[in-house]
C-alpha cells in the first residue's frame, strides 16, 4: 500500500514542455559509445530540442506497454527493481528556448519544472571547487537519488544502487551527448552532512 511513485511530481511549478520530436544523430552508435568519438565535441550550447533528446534518452520514458493492470512505462535506462530512484535536474544559463534556472526533469510528461529562476551555475561551481567543466558549462545535468524509493524494496542496499543506477543513466547521457557533438564529462561529489 506504500509503494513509492517512480517519479517526483511537482504539481504547482511552472512547466516547460520539451519537444517530442527526437533529433536524430548521424554518428554511428558504436562511435558514440566508444571512448574516442569520431567527431570532436563542439563548445556550443544545447538548444531545448537537443536538451530534450539528452534527457529523454538518458532516463525518460521511451515506450508504454499495456498490461492487465494498466500501462507500464519503459525507461531509456534500467534501474534496480524498476524503482527508478534517480532524478535528473538541469542547472543552466540562458539557452535557446530555455531561461536560466534550475529545472527538474519530469519523466511522466517529458517536461521541465522550474524550481528556481535565474543564474545558479555559480553554486554548482562552488560545490565542485570551481571544477572547470562545471564552471564553464552552459548546462549541467545533476543526478540525485530518492533513497526511500529504492530502500522500499532493497533496504540498506539502496546506497549501493544509487551509484550503480546513476552509472547506467550516465552511460546513456555520455553516448547521446557524443552523438550530438556536445562536450560532456562526469563530476561526482558526496556531501556527508
Amino acid at each position: 500500500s506504500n509503494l513509492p511513485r517512480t517519479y517526483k511530481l511537482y504539481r504547482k511549478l511552472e512547466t516547460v514542455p520539451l519537444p517530442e520530436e527526437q533529433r536524430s544523430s548521424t554518428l554511428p552508435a558504436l562511435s558514440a559509445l566508444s571512448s574516442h568519438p569520431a567527431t570532436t565535441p563542439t563548445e556550443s550550447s544545447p538548444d531545448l530540442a537537443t536538451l530534450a533528446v539528452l534527457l529523454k534518452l538518458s532516463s525518460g520514458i521511451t515506450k508504454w506497454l499495456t498490461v492487465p493492470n494498466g500501462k507500464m512505462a519503459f525507461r531509456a535506462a534500467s534501474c534496480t527493481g524498476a524503482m527508478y530512484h534517480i532524478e535528473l535536474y538541469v542547472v543552466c544559463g540562458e539557452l535557446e528556448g530555455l531561461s536560466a534556472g534550475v529545472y527538474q526533469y519530469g519523466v511522466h510528461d517529458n517536461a521541465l519544472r522550474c524550481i528556481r529562476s535565474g543564474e545558479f551555475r555559480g553554486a554548482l561551481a562552488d560545490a565542485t571547487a570551481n571544477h572547470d567543466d562545471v564552471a564553464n558549462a552552459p548546462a549541467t545535468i545533476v543526478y540525485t537519488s530518492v533513497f526511500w524509493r529504492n530502500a522500499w524494496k532493497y533496504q540498506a542496499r539502496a546506497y549501493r544502487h544509487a551509484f550503480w543506477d546513476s552509472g547506467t543513466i550516465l552511460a546513456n547521457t555520455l553516448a547521446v551527448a557524443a552523438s550530438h557533438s556536445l562536450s560532456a564529462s562526469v563530476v561526482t561529489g558526496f556531501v556527508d552532512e
Side-chain angles (χ1 to χ4, degrees):
S1 65
N2 65 346
L3 176 68
R5 182 182 289 121
T6 58
Y7 53 85
K8 280 188 180 176
L9 188 59
Y10 291 102
R11 298 178 197 271
K12 297 180 180 179
L13 294 180
E14 173 191 341
T15 301
V16 179
L18 293 172
E20 285 296 331
E21 74 277 353
Q22 293 294 298
R23 185 175 281 177
S24 61
S25 169
T26 58
L27 185 66
L30 290 178
S31 294
L33 294 171
S34 73
S35 60
H36 302 289
T39 61
T40 304
T42 64
E43 295 300 321
S44 65
S45 298
D47 59 11
L48 191 60
T50 304
L51 188 60
V53 170
L54 200 58
L55 293 167
K56 185 162 189 168
L57 295 182
S58 290
S59 73
I61 295 172
T62 57
K63 177 173 121 175
W64 290 91
L65 181 66
T66 303
V67 294
N69 297 9
K71 292 176 108 181
M72 182 168 63
F74 284 83
R75 299 271 191 105
S78 62
C79 188
T80 50
M83 300 308 292
Y84 301 108
H85 59 102
I86 305 299
E87 294 283 336
L88 273 56
Y89 295 83
V90 176
V91 180
C92 64
E94 292 288 327
L95 299 177
E96 184 182 327
L98 189 64
S99 299
V102 179
Y103 297 88
Q104 183 261 352
Y105 174 57
V107 298
H108 65 289
D109 62 357
N110 195 41
L112 295 173
R113 301 289 185 291
C114 184
I115 294 175
R116 298 276 187 277
S117 293
E119 183 59 67
F120 287 90
R121 292 180 296 169
L124 281 183
D126 289 346
T128 61
N130 291 312
H131 191 287
D132 285 343
D133 290 343
V134 175
N136 298 316
T140 300
I141 300 175
V142 178
Y143 296 72
T144 66
S145 175
V146 179
F147 280 105
W148 154 246
R149 198 180 298 162
N150 197 261
W152 179 87
K153 187 171 190 176
Y154 292 105
Q155 300 171 358
R157 292 175 61 201
Y159 180 79
R160 232 180 312 186
H161 295 171
F163 303 104
W164 182 3
D165 292 332
S166 289
T168 302
I169 297 169
L170 280 166
N172 284 11
T173 304
L174 293 171
V176 175
S179 74
H180 289 278
S181 295
L182 293 171
S183 295
S185 62
V186 177
V187 178
T188 61
F190 182 83
V191 179
D192 197 39
E193 294 130 21

